[in-house]
Amino acid sequence: MSDDSALDVMGLSLSLGRLEILDAVSLSLRAGEIVAITGESGSGKSMTALAIMGLLPAGMRPSGQIQLDGRDMLSLSEREMCRLRGNDIGMIFQEPMTALNPLKTIGDQVLETILIHTESSKAAARLRAAEVLMRVGLPPEKYSLSRYPHQLSGGQRQRVVIAMAIVLRPKFLIADEPTTALDVTTQAQILALLKDLVRQEGMGMLIITHDLAVVGNLADHILIMRRGKVLERGPTKQLFAAMSHPYTRMLFEASSHQVSLPPPPPEAAPLLQVCDVTRAYQLPRKGIFSVAQSFRAVDNVSFTLRAGERLGLVGESGCGKSTLTRAILGLEPVQAGTITLNGAPVWAGARPNRVVRRNIQVVFQDPYGSFNPRHKVARLITEPYHLLDAPLSEQDREAAVSEALVAVGLSPDDGGKYPHEFSGGQRQRLAIARALILRPELIVFDEAVSALDVSVRAQILDLIVDLSTRFALSYLFISHDLSVVRSITDRVMVMQAGAIVEHGPTDQVLVQPRHPYTQSLLAAAPRLPPLPKRVAQ
């Protein structure tokens, strides 16, 4: 690969009808260089990447120039662009499960990329596929090429997507939010892998992310975008040291936002008690006469959450957090142990206890995925009413909807709208309103802010703490973002391989961890440099 390879975007503008999406965006990327684009959702980051790849939605009109080694890509036909994609420019998409074909094995999907773009034999292509999968940390002897995407973890699926993007050794790689939904250790591994690929293969990489801590440890140059415009650019260290634009400083302050957490009530009564809980799944038999094996997703877990307390739960993907959450919510039975709320069991015989279930509500990671898009907000946030013994009158329902919407900072008129009419942060407020509608004693926040922009995340965190104070709520906050957990919880539990390996006051556990696993989580978490002082005007 030539060290002179260059990707230049000059005055790129993009419009859809009268709507201006990109306004004269310019950037330059050289071989062996990492350039980052950061900004909030809707800033135009992903649209810039899609324009470079020639994958814009129908009806969008680009103008300006995109040059690859001096060749204007906007003037190329679709057939010519197909030859460039993969060969000269590879792309890693944000969500690997949607980027991969669930009906094809991982080997066939990497193989397909080689066979389409080269004249290699199938045997040679298979050898190359195995080689590149090993290169990204998926050795064939451990992760067979015959596996399907659903048989891999999130981090492993992201490695497959990276393998597909680099298998033809492209000159440039575009990574669109490649680590957004990954836990800290997997994120650190993926970022180290991408950095190694750039340095060893000599390719240039354009990374798109809203995580400034990731940018600070990875990129050579940064562009800050907002509403389709580049507001500030420069070498990473210089830009972080100066931050001449107020918007850049706002993003930085939101990334390190600290919530004003009131002290927990002293000597409060136990609310949620989890005692010696075990949840195991039977594994498929390896042979006709082999003995069935089982996997313990939750292994003898015990803890107590007191009334008014804010408890955090952290750990890597696959550690058992989600399984434990489903058990607490009464969505899955356990093989051993008990789970009670105010002394009442979550399960009453062979079915969930309705009285307990209406006092425990949940806010999921993806609010759009947890809402039926065909229903209006007023109907969606009253879904928990099916747990009531007697239905409310129409007048009482309307009053409850208005009260819940106002409590989360929205308008009563929003009850007549559909979910698609709201931003991501507003939809998460709707999800919190739905959780509040029954005035529960406990809310479980399952990765509730991991997919949000830093500024929106700060607003939602402030809202959660405010609501917990106003409504005397307790909550279990599950997240892989240690900085968020540290700012919003009183105590924290660290989970590994189905067991709680460390727990205690949040500041103690996340500042002076005792267990090696907790120490490894903290070491893997990216950190922001200190915020520079404001220059006096």
Side-chain angles (χ1 to χ4, degrees), residues 362-373:
V362 61
V363 178
F364 295 102
Q365 177 176 353
D366 179 12
Y368 197 68
S370 66
F371 287 141
N372 188 327

Side-chain angles (χ1 to χ4, degrees), residues 171-235:
K171 298 175 182 178
F172 298 99
L173 186 64
I174 299 176
D176 188 2
E177 298 280 10
T179 62
T180 296
L182 303 180
D183 57 64
V184 288
T185 50
T186 305
Q187 179 190 60
Q189 294 166 7
I190 294 296
L191 293 174
L193 170 62
L194 292 173
K195 200 167 186 176
D196 286 345
L197 288 170
V198 169
R199 303 308 180 212
Q200 295 174 16
E201 301 287 340
M203 65 178 68
M205 184 170 74
L206 181 67
I207 183 167
I208 295 166
T209 180
H210 63 256
D211 192 331
L212 287 176
V214 167
V215 166
N217 295 322
L218 184 70
D220 301 308
H221 296 269
I222 301 178
L223 283 77
I224 307 293
M225 288 188 69
R226 186 187 189 192
R227 296 176 183 170
K229 295 182 179 181
V230 177
L231 300 183
E232 190 170 2
R233 68 176 75 225

Side-chain angles (χ1 to χ4, degrees), residues 471-517:
F471 295 101
L473 286 171
S474 302
Y475 58 75
L476 176 63
F477 195 91
I478 302 164
S479 179
H480 63 255
D481 192 326
L482 301 183
S483 64
V484 169
V485 171
R486 184 177 176 183
S487 71
I488 201 172
T489 61
D490 306 307
R491 287 191 302 123
V492 66
M493 303 183 296
V494 182
M495 196 169 189
Q496 181 190 26
I500 303 298
V501 297
E502 187 168 4
H503 70 276
T506 302
D507 284 341
Q508 176 186 309
V509 172
L510 297 186
V511 176
Q512 296 178 320
R514 297 178 180 177
H515 196 277
Y517 178 68

Side-chain angles (χ1 to χ4, degrees), residues 154-483:
Q156 290 164 354
R157 287 195 291 264
Q158 192 65 287
R159 291 172 187 268
V160 175
V161 174
I162 293 172
M164 292 171 64
I166 68 166
V167 68
L168 297 176
R169 297 187 176 93
K171 298 175 182 178
F172 298 99
L173 186 64
I174 299 176
D176 188 2
E177 298 280 10
T179 62
T180 296
L182 303 180
D183 57 64
V184 288
T185 50
T186 305
Q187 179 190 60
Q189 294 166 7
I190 294 296
L191 293 174
L193 170 62
L194 292 173
K195 200 167 186 176
D196 286 345
L197 288 170
V198 169
R199 303 308 180 212
Q200 295 174 16
E201 301 287 340
M203 65 178 68
M205 184 170 74
L206 181 67
I207 183 167
I208 295 166
T209 180
H210 63 256
D211 192 331
L212 287 176
V214 167
V215 166
N217 295 322
L218 184 70
D220 301 308
H221 296 269
I222 301 178
L223 283 77
I224 307 293
M225 288 188 69
R226 186 187 189 192
R227 296 176 183 170
K229 295 182 179 181
V230 177
L231 300 183
E232 190 170 2
R233 68 176 75 225
T236 304
K237 291 183 179 179
Q238 292 181 21
L239 188 141
F240 274 20
M243 293 191 191
S244 59
H245 199 284
Y247 179 71
T248 306
R249 179 173 283 271
M250 184 279 292
L251 287 180
F252 201 97
E253 289 173 345
S255 297
S256 52
H257 179 69
Q258 292 297 310
V259 177
S260 179
L261 195 65
E267 300 301 323
L271 176 63
L272 175 71
Q273 292 182 293
V274 177
C275 301
D276 301 324
V277 165
T278 295
R279 176 64 171 137
Y281 298 95
Q282 186 169 321
L283 299 174
R285 295 176 184 268
K286 295 182 178 179
I288 297 176
F289 303 106
S290 63
V291 178
Q293 302 291 322
S294 64
F295 169 70
R296 282 197 173 192
V298 177
D299 188 6
N300 200 35
V301 168
S302 298
F303 67 88
T304 298
L305 190 157
R306 296 184 177 277
E309 190 178 33
R310 286 81 48 145
L311 179 63
L313 178 61
V314 300
E316 295 175 293
S317 297
C319 71
K321 301 192 303 294
S322 296
T323 303
L324 178 60
T325 302
R326 289 195 296 271
I328 291 170
L329 293 171
L331 299 177
E332 285 191 15
V334 297
Q335 280 87 9
T338 59
I339 303 173
T340 59
L341 187 78
N342 284 327
V346 170
W347 279 77
R351 61 179 59 192
N353 187 335
R354 286 171 62 89
V355 176
V356 170
R357 286 194 67 181
R358 60 178 174 243
N359 279 308
I360 305 178
Q361 294 296 310
V362 61
V363 178
F364 295 102
Q365 177 176 353
D366 179 12
Y368 197 68
S370 66
F371 287 141
N372 188 327
R374 296 178 296 175
H375 295 161
K376 292 183 178 180
V377 164
R379 176 172 175 177
L380 291 171
I381 67 175
T382 55
E383 284 177 343
Y385 279 160
H386 79 279
L387 295 169
L388 296 177
D389 296 325
L392 294 181
S393 67
E394 191 64 32
Q395 185 176 358
D396 288 341
R397 287 172 71 98
E398 290 178 2
V401 168
S402 297
E403 185 179 358
L405 289 172
V406 170
V408 297
L410 297 174
S411 165
D413 295 336
D414 290 330
K417 298 178 181 178
Y418 290 93
H420 73 268
E421 298 180 70
F422 296 88
S423 68
Q426 289 171 329
R427 283 196 290 264
Q428 199 61 289
R429 289 175 184 268
L430 294 175
I432 294 173
R434 178 171 60 182
L436 280 174
I437 198 83
L438 288 180
R439 295 294 176 87
E441 296 180 79
L442 173 65
I443 294 183
V444 178
F445 291 96
D446 187 5
E447 298 283 7
V449 297
S450 63
L452 301 178
D453 294 324
V454 289
S455 58
V456 177
R457 182 182 70 186
Q459 296 167 13
I460 296 298
L461 292 177
D462 285 336
L463 173 65
I464 290 171
V465 172
D466 177 57
L467 292 173
S468 71
T469 304
R470 278 195 284 152
F471 295 101
L473 286 171
S474 302
Y475 58 75
L476 176 63
F477 195 91
I478 302 164
S479 179
H480 63 255
D481 192 326
L482 301 183
S483 64

